Amino acid sequence: MNYHIGTMLIDEHFNASGECPLCKIKKTVEVRLTEQYLGEGVMEDNTRKEVNELGFCARHYDLLFSFPSKLGLALQISTRLKTVMKSVEKPEKAKQAKKIADKLDLSAKKCVVCKYLDDHMIRYYKTVAEVYYSKPSFRKRFAEERGFCLEHFAALNRYSDCAHSEQKSYLNDLYAVENRYLSALEKDLLSFCDHHDYRRRDLPLTEGERDCLKTARSAFYGSKR
Ligand SMILES: [Zn+2]
Ligand SMILES: [Zn+2]
């Protein structure tokens, strides 16, 4: 399960719309990757082997379920269930019960879509830095972004060496964007709290103040699906 990573999504989603651009890229990639499990490749040997082994997390099961092909999902899940049933054993001794629990807990943490999604996103974090390095016109757009969620701010920092000789300037811009974003959020949150004082109750709220808890949600946890 794979598809080509280009710079098209980066070009499309770094558009200062307000939402974290990496969250928008992630949502698009996630849908594309997930859809593949319901398409023609559904019963290819390699795909089936991986689905059997890793299964899907709840988030990706729900996403698969949101697509029209219920047959595709039923086929995937029925082969996965065969593997899971091997772990549902009757313990002969009490000691074995813990082993069964450990095995099931470990298997519940795995997901084939998450695995590929993580790989793809790492390539996007690196490519954003590379585009910053190779396309001067992108630098201005990057610096004009509203902000990144904390997960993606961290990831862009982690792979900043892909901006090569522009790494320092890339990190400066990244920090400036995030600092502006979080400082504005902090200010809006304080004003929002102040507003609950009866003496200020009648003053109108700005848009930022009104939406500050939603913005905080996006900053801390990324944007919702
Ligand atoms: Zn994000
Ligand atoms: Zn998953």
Side-chain angles (χ1 to χ4, degrees):
M1 289 283 168
N2 219 334
Y3 77 90
H4 177 69
I5 285 198
T7 56
M8 225 171 78
L9 286 181
I10 294 174
D11 208 43
E12 190 183 325
H13 291 304
F14 273 78
N15 56 5
S17 72
E19 214 182 318
C20 167
L22 269 313
C23 280
K24 287 185 284 182
I25 291 174
K26 189 174 176 181
K27 274 191 240 174
T28 309
V29 175
E30 187 174 40
V31 168
R32 287 182 190 171
L33 281 173
T34 308
E35 267 179 329
Q36 292 186 68
Y37 289 92
L38 300 172
E40 285 173 12
V42 75
M43 279 298 132
E44 273 172 18
D45 283 351
N46 278 349
T47 309
R48 193 205 291 246
K49 199 168 156 264
E50 275 195 314
V51 172
N52 286 356
E53 207 179 296
L54 303 171
F56 302 105
C57 67
R59 175 183 171 86
H60 291 128
Y61 185 93
D62 291 344
L63 183 56
L64 284 160
F65 187 79
S66 72
F67 294 117
S69 174
K70 300 293 183 264
L71 174 63
L73 179 56
L75 289 169
Q76 294 286 15
I77 287 301
S78 59
T79 66
R80 169 68 181 149
L81 183 59
K82 277 199 187 98
T83 313
V84 170
M85 283 177 79
K86 286 181 199 152
S87 304
V88 179
E89 298 168 79
K90 186 173 150 205
E92 296 302 330
K93 290 177 188 164
K95 231 169 98 184
Q96 257 178 297
K98 197 173 170 293
K99 272 192 184 164
I100 293 170
D102 287 347
K103 205 170 157 189
L104 284 166
D105 282 352
L106 184 69
S107 125
K109 287 192 184 100
K110 294 178 179 171
C111 166
V112 67
V113 180
C114 283
K115 180 189 155 200
Y116 283 104
L117 187 57
D118 289 348
D119 289 351
H120 276 72
M121 289 312 295
I122 289 173
R123 287 159 71 189
Y124 274 105
Y125 306 141
K126 292 179 175 179
T127 310
V128 169
E130 274 162 14
V131 175
Y132 184 95
Y133 164 74
S134 60
K135 257 175 87 178
S137 61
F138 178 72
R139 291 175 204 161
K140 192 170 169 279
R141 281 169 59 194
F142 183 88
E144 281 170 0
E145 274 302 323
R146 182 187 181 206
F148 302 96
C149 70
L150 292 175
E151 178 194 340
H152 291 139
F153 174 67
L156 293 177
N157 269 286
R158 187 178 307 283
Y159 297 101
S160 65
D161 57 336
C162 295
H164 311 289
S165 57
E166 291 298 326
Q167 187 176 11
K168 206 160 175 242
S169 145
Y170 178 62
L171 286 171
N172 281 344
D173 281 345
L174 179 60
Y175 168 76
V177 167
E178 198 66 358
N179 186 48
R180 188 177 63 221
Y181 176 52
L182 297 180
S183 301
L185 172 61
E186 186 184 31
K187 194 170 152 278
D188 286 340
L189 280 165
L190 288 174
S191 306
F192 181 83
C193 295
D194 277 352
H195 213 80
H196 286 71
D197 182 320
Y198 72 95
R199 282 162 298 186
R200 294 167 196 258
R201 230 175 2 214
D202 296 331
L203 292 175
L205 283 172
T206 65
E207 202 184 331
E209 289 161 2
R210 206 171 44 238
D211 292 342
C212 64
L213 290 175
K214 283 187 195 160
T215 308
R217 202 269 174 210
S218 308
F220 278 94
Y221 313 108
S223 48
K224 281 187 182 172
R225 159 142 295 288

